[in-house]
């Protein structure tokens, strides 16, 4: 119990103090006109209140990620608390803040454009492909569960449910952000927050013993914490999907001073939600072995449903049902919207097509493969979501490092988590079944080699930067 409460307090303090420090490192211009005004178009560039931007950002990046991912991560035991708190404050919050604010500074640029500007055009091509693949996978993985639940609770078949959800996805992708997303997301955000807070309060007063902190690996299968925990719990700690979503909201921010609340603050809120569900997963079924058995029999949705009903009664059952249906859909629709925006940015100077036509074609270009992928096994999709997700997160952190080096700022705030994630991703690619599936020790050695190479390149960039002085900052009209 003490560990759980201390972790929540640490996350709040992380926002108040470390988030403020990151804001000072970035150096905001509170009175500078943002793209929401300079490029206002009634479609994507629309000024919104900070509270609404925060709520939409939270739903964009969260969905069921900090619930299902945290429940799966709870299999490792209380060591998951450490990763959620530390990862969220020093990695995820930094990642999300820089992805949102750099997009804002560059006129609402999509993530691949930032990659091209700071890391080069060749890495940008790789990033374009991986980012769109990630969002197609996310849209597919997050829609299958709701469609199955709808078909089990109503006379509607699974395929018809998929068609209905994807029809909504297309509409959300092509309609102005303030027409659909801006109106319904605050309601859905309230459901997410009420659900998490209610579970936390009920858990504290339930009389059940929430495990205290330990670094021991309690996973029933004995699979290693490093780096699998860092991929299992991504939403709630650090997630590359977030940097593909931040440009949606960077185009609506009224003042740069709102960035810490909207981007860093949404990440901290997601971390708290992940912490709550990790604690519930560890506590509710008599330990990690009981949780593993329950996940095997009823899946993550069933685990969430049982916890909610037994802690909160019929109201909890309704919240769980709404959450499992609504929350992944609110991630899938913005995944489709942001991939549409990336394809538009990539294609608009290469084809002679009207912007509205290109927008519709881009939406269907990602919507159709996502639809067909959603009909295959969810767990298979989720493995590849985690795989691509953390690759994108690592690239975004190196974008932040490049920016900080270029403008002679405190680059270690992004450099340390970038190195950490480079090591984690390298080992994971070598070890995981969806990667090269090498022996663990071999993967550790291979990951260490990659880590050392990247670290040496980082040191080289630092030494090179020490001989160069850059004054000023990028203007927000760089990509206008």
């Amino acid at each position: 119990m003490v560990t759980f409460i201390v972790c929540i307090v640490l996350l709040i303090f992380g926002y108040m103090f470390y988030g403020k420090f990151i804001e000072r490192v970035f150096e905001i211009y509170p009175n500078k006109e943002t793209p929401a005004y300079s490029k206002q178009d009634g479609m994507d560039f629309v000024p919104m209140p900070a509270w609404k931007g925060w709520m939409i950002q939270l739903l964009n990046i969260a969905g069921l990620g900090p619930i299902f991912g945290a429940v799966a991560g709870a299999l490792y035991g209380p060591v998951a608390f450490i990763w959620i708190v530390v990862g969220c404050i020093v990695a995820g919050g930094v990642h999300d803040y820089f992805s949102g604010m750099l997009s804002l500074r560059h006129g609402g640029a999509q993530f691949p454009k930032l990659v091209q500007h700071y890391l080069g055009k060749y890495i940008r091509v790789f990033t374009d492909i991986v980012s769109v693949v990630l969002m197609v996978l996310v849209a597919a993985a997050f829609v299958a569960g709701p469609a199955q639940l709808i078909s089990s609770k109503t006379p509607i078949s699974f395929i018809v449910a998929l068609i209905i959800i994807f029809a909504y996805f297309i509409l959300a992708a092509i309609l102005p952000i303030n027409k659909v997303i801006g109106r319904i997301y605050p309601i859905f955000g309230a459901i997410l927050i009420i659900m998490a807070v209610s579970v936390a309060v009920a858990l504290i007063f339930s009389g059940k013993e929430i495990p205290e902190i330990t670094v021991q690996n309690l996973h029933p299968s004995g699979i290693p914490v490093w780096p699998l925990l860092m991929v299992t719990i991504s939403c709630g700690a650090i997630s590359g999907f977030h940097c593909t979503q931040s440009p949606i909201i960077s185009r609506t921010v009224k003042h740069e001073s709102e960035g810490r609340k909207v981007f860093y603050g949404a990440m901290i809120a997601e971390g708290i939600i992940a912490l709550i569900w990790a604690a519930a997963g560890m506590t509710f079924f008599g330990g990690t072995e009981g949780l593993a058995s329950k996940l095997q029999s009823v899946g993550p949705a069933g685990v969430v449903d049982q916890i909610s009903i037994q802690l909160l009664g019929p109201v909890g059952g309704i919240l769980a049902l709404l959450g499992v249906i609504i929350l992944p859909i609110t991630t899938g629709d913005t995944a489709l919207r942001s991939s549409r925006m990336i394809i538009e940015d990539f294609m608009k100077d290469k084809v002679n097509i009207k912007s509205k036509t290109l927008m519709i074609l881009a939406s269907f270009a990602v919507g159709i493969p996502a639809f067909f992928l959603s009909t295959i096994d969810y767990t298979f999709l989720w493995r590849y979501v985690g795989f691509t997700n953390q690759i994108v997160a690592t690239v975004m952190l190196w974008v932040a490092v490049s920016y900080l080096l270029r403008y002679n700022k405190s680059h270690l705030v992004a450099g340390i988590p970038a190195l950490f994630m480079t090591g984690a991703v390298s080992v994971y690619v070598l070890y995981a079944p969806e990667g090269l599936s090498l022996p663990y020790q071999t993967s550790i050695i291979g990951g260490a080699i990659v880590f050392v190479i990247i670290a040496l390149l980082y040191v080289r960039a630092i030494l090179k930067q020490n001989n160069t002085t850059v004054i000023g900052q990028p203007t927000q009209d760089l990509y206008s």
Side-chain angles (χ1 to χ4, degrees):
M1 177 81 73
V2 173
T3 297
F4 175 62
I5 294 174
V6 167
C7 286
I8 291 179
V9 171
L10 287 174
L11 285 170
I12 295 170
F13 280 4
Y15 169 75
M16 294 169 61
F17 299 108
Y18 197 71
K20 190 68 176 177
F21 170 68
I22 295 300
E23 183 181 63
R24 287 200 300 270
V25 169
F26 183 79
E27 189 181 351
I28 63 170
Y29 297 137
N31 298 321
K32 191 175 183 66
E33 186 178 54
T34 63
Y37 292 105
S38 63
K39 294 186 174 184
Q40 188 168 352
D41 62 0
M43 179 64 189
D44 296 317
F45 294 89
V46 179
M48 283 189 178
W51 70 268
K52 185 175 284 190
W54 176 84
M55 190 77 80
I56 295 173
Q57 176 72 1
L58 177 59
L59 277 171
N60 285 357
I61 66 176
L64 284 176
I67 300 177
F68 282 10
V71 167
L75 289 170
Y76 293 90
V79 68
F81 291 158
I82 300 174
W83 169 236
I84 291 171
V85 173
V86 177
C88 187
I89 293 172
V90 304
V94 173
H95 171 281
D96 286 19
Y97 183 79
F98 276 96
S99 64
M101 293 304 290
L102 285 176
S103 173
L104 187 151
R105 281 281 171 85
H106 289 272
Q110 287 292 312
F111 168 59
K113 277 195 172 183
L114 298 178
V115 172
Q116 179 175 335
H117 184 72
Y118 290 103
L119 299 180
K121 63 180 181 180
Y122 296 112
I123 299 181
R124 188 263 169 89
V125 173
F126 166 79
T127 305
D128 267 319
I129 296 170
V130 174
S131 298
V132 173
V133 168
L134 170 61
M135 286 179 286
V136 168
L137 289 172
V138 166
F142 276 23
V143 78
Q148 289 171 351
L149 192 58
I150 290 171
S151 65
S152 68
K153 301 288 185 180
T154 70
I156 299 174
S157 69
F158 174 71
I159 293 299
V160 172
L162 279 182
I163 293 171
I164 292 171
I165 293 171
F166 272 97
Y168 161 74
F169 279 6
I170 296 295
L171 287 175
I174 64 177
L175 289 174
I177 190 169
N178 59 336
K179 297 299 183 184
V180 177
I181 293 174
R183 290 184 178 179
I184 65 174
Y185 267 41
I187 300 171
F188 295 162
I191 292 172
L192 176 63
I193 294 168
I194 291 170
M195 184 179 181
V197 171
S198 299
V199 168
V201 172
L203 187 63
I204 290 172
F205 291 100
S206 67
K208 295 181 181 294
E209 186 176 345
I210 303 174
E212 302 297 346
I213 198 70
T214 176
V215 296
Q216 183 181 1
N217 181 8
L218 300 180
H219 200 292
S221 300
I223 60 177
V225 171
W226 171 268
L228 299 182
L229 178 60
M230 289 74 203
V231 175
T232 302
I233 301 181
S234 53
C235 294
I238 177 172
S239 168
F241 179 69
H242 297 186
C243 70
T244 67
Q245 301 302 290
S246 293
I248 295 177
I249 302 304
S250 75
R251 300 181 179 195
T252 70
V253 173
K254 291 182 175 181
H255 307 285
E256 288 195 2
S257 57
E258 297 173 352
R260 181 168 67 99
K261 177 189 297 182
V262 171
F263 300 114
Y264 197 98
M267 181 68 247
I268 293 295
E270 186 184 43
I272 293 173
I273 293 168
L275 193 74
I276 291 167
W277 282 101
M282 292 176 209
T283 303
F284 210 76
F285 301 102
T288 58
E289 290 189 3
L291 174 60
S293 175
K294 188 61 66 174
L295 283 169
Q296 184 71 26
S297 62
V298 300
V303 167
V304 170
D305 187 54
Q306 289 190 21
I307 291 173
S308 300
I309 291 174
Q310 293 193 38
L311 283 178
L312 304 174
V315 174
I318 294 171
L319 286 174
L321 180 65
L322 289 174
V324 172
I325 292 176
I326 292 174
L327 297 180
I329 292 175
T330 61
T331 300
D333 60 4
T334 51
L336 201 64
R337 187 181 186 92
S338 56
S339 55
R340 180 266 292 174
M341 291 160 65
I342 289 175
I343 293 174
E344 281 184 288
D345 282 349
F346 182 77
M347 296 297 296
K348 65 183 178 183
D349 297 326
K350 298 177 177 61
V351 295
N352 186 22
I353 301 177
K354 291 182 179 180
S355 59
K356 288 188 177 181
T357 303
L358 178 59
M359 176 177 66
I360 294 171
L361 290 175
S363 299
F364 277 98
V366 291
I368 291 173
F371 175 84
F372 286 104
L373 282 172
S374 64
T375 62
I376 68 177
D377 182 47
Y378 168 85
T379 56
F380 174 81
L381 288 175
W382 190 248
R383 290 210 314 267
Y384 284 90
V385 168
F387 177 67
T388 55
N389 191 35
Q390 299 305 62
I391 291 176
V392 172
T394 305
V395 173
M396 179 59 228
L397 284 171
W398 285 117
V399 168
V401 171
S402 179
Y403 162 79
L404 293 169
L405 280 171
R406 182 175 299 189
Y407 294 97
N408 199 27
K409 297 176 181 293
S410 302
H411 54 84
L412 287 177
V413 298
I416 292 174
L419 286 170
F420 178 87
M421 290 304 298
T422 296
V425 168
S426 300
V427 175
Y428 188 86
V429 170
L430 296 171
Y431 178 66
E434 58 270 27
L436 298 181
S437 197
L438 297 177
Y440 185 63
Q441 294 300 327
T442 304
S443 302
I444 291 290
I445 294 170
I449 293 171
V450 175
F451 176 87
V452 170
I453 292 171
I454 298 299
L456 289 174
L457 291 173
Y458 182 24
V459 171
R460 179 187 175 191
I462 294 170
L463 295 175
K464 181 179 179 181
Q465 185 61 27
N466 288 339
N467 298 320
T468 307
T469 302
V470 178
I471 300 174
Q473 299 205 48
T475 65
Q476 66 177 40
D477 296 321
L478 185 60
Y479 290 109
S480 60

